[in-house]
DNA sequence: CCAATTTAGTTGAACTCTCATATACTTAGG
DNA sequence: CCTAAGTATATGAGAGTTCAACTAAATTGG
């Protein structure tokens, strides 16, 4: 038997989809307009910038940037064309590749970050009470844990960070 | 001065992105696998199914399905190819078009709905306490209101409904 | 009543994402 | 060892999205 949503759940669900979509679209528009990249690329650059030597294995970068390996591979190809990332062959495991954030890539990230953080604040944190932010945190933890119980907290995350 | 995120905000933000992305990916995978359509198409069909005569102006459908006009136009073109939607010229306003949900489209929606609702429950409602669902509702209201203060509640919403 | 503007909708190109497949290397088993 | 299975990544095709035109019709303001 299908467990249909009741009226209240229905409303909440629709609002949830609306709200998350509004935020995502705002982020993508802002980054595309001001930094010429989609949000997914921004996340890749952030993750790389946090890695020791600004270098990471493709597969680990995919995990950390919440990307499929295929998506990451295509994305890195584009980022390479712009000179923001470079691939390096991995000596230990000759199947492997490192992605390396170039200085230009770092500069692009540094230039993009303030506008992006501002958008994150405008769309989310500025509109919530501190208590609501804590509640949202809990809610997201529950969702993540249910969807992917094996993932350690902090491993699958998306990012804004001061470069 | 950039208002950077502090540690806690950072963590919450990353979790939020992770959680919403996990849900969206789960929904898209489920619908693609079991019903051969992306979630955006599902939403279009739901909105149409709720309209009087299963008919709506393209621009209103775009608003209600949270779609750009261009995206909707492309999507309806695809849905037409499958015979799920049909366009009708609008007599009052000869610029306008109606989108009409066909019986086949309705059947496809009815077939897809149970699996979709189940996925919505699995990924969201089943993992939250009733209190958290209420909190989430409030949070989403705040986000929507801030992003788009002109929109009446209930107008920009996304959907699961018993067909 | 007509020119200027706005509104409704479509279209094509460029881009990203997904999915399936291919390639090359590594590890395990016998 | 040597083959079978598994891992790391790349690639190409197909599909959806965005953005910037573009068409056509309606509205507005002299």
């Amino acid at each position: 038997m299908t467990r249909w949503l009741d009226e209240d759940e229905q409303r909440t669900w629709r609002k949830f989809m609306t709200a998350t979509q509004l935020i995502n679209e705002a982020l993508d528009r802002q980054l595309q307009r001001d930094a010429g990249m989609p949000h997914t690329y921004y996340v890749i650059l952030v993750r790389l910038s946090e890695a020791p030597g600004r270098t990471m294995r493709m597969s680990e970068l995919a995990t950390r940037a919440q990307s499929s390996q295929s998506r990451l591979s295509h994305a890195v190809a584009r980022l390479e064309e712009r000179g923001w990332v470079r691939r390096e062959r991995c000596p230990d495991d000759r199947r492997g590749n490192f992605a390396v954030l170039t200085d230009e890539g770092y500069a692009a990230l540094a230039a993009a970050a303030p506008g992006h953080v501002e958008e994150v604040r405008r769309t989310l944190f500025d509109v919530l009470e501190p208590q609501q932010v804590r509640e949202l945190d809990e809610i997201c933890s529950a969702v993540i844990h249910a969807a992917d119980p094996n993932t350690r907290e902090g491993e699958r995350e998306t990012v804004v960070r001061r470069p």
Side-chain angles (χ1 to χ4, degrees), chain A residues 23-118:
Chain A
I23 290 175
N24 275 313
E25 286 172 0
L27 296 181
D28 257 331
R29 258 199 316 275
Q30 186 276 322
L31 278 171
Q32 196 65 61
R33 170 168 43 77
D34 298 342
M37 61 178 131
H39 184 230
T40 47
Y41 287 22
Y42 182 86
V43 172
I44 290 167
L45 297 184
V46 171
R47 286 306 195 176
L48 261 186
S49 77
E50 292 171 355
R54 293 177 191 165
T55 297
M56 217 184 301
R57 285 289 292 266
M58 290 295 285
S59 46
E60 186 173 357
L61 183 53
T63 304
R64 296 212 188 256
Q66 308 224 34
S67 172
S68 68
Q69 292 198 158
S70 172
R71 181 157 87 202
L72 178 67
S73 189
H74 285 297
V76 166
R78 296 309 184 116
L79 292 168
E80 257 184 317
E81 290 168 9
R82 304 188 200 182
W84 291 353
V85 172
R86 140 174 67 79
R87 276 185 242 237
E88 260 176 33
R89 238 158 170 35
C90 174
D92 310 356
D93 184 339
R94 279 181 309 185
R95 297 166 300 181
N97 261 339
F98 288 118
V100 185
L101 184 63
T102 65
D103 290 344
E104 297 73 39
Y106 188 83
L109 176 59
H116 175 59
V117 180
E118 201 48 50

Side-chain angles (χ1 to χ4, degrees), chain A residues 3-34:
Chain A
R3 300 179 296 150
W4 297 103
L5 302 186
D6 67 28
E7 283 292 312
D8 284 355
E9 289 168 330
Q10 189 70 238
R11 261 197 305 278
T12 301
W13 172 247
R14 294 187 181 205
K15 283 198 221 172
F16 176 69
M17 282 290 112
T18 301
T20 56
Q21 197 179 325
L22 284 172
I23 290 175
N24 275 313
E25 286 172 0
L27 296 181
D28 257 331
R29 258 199 316 275
Q30 186 276 322
L31 278 171
Q32 196 65 61
R33 170 168 43 77
D34 298 342

Side-chain angles (χ1 to χ4, degrees), chain A residues 119-132:
Chain A
E119 194 68 24
V120 170
R121 286 215 173 273
R122 247 200 303 281
T123 56
L124 188 66
F125 289 100
D126 286 352
V127 311
L128 299 181
E129 302 298 329
Q131 176 59 29
Q132 290 183 305

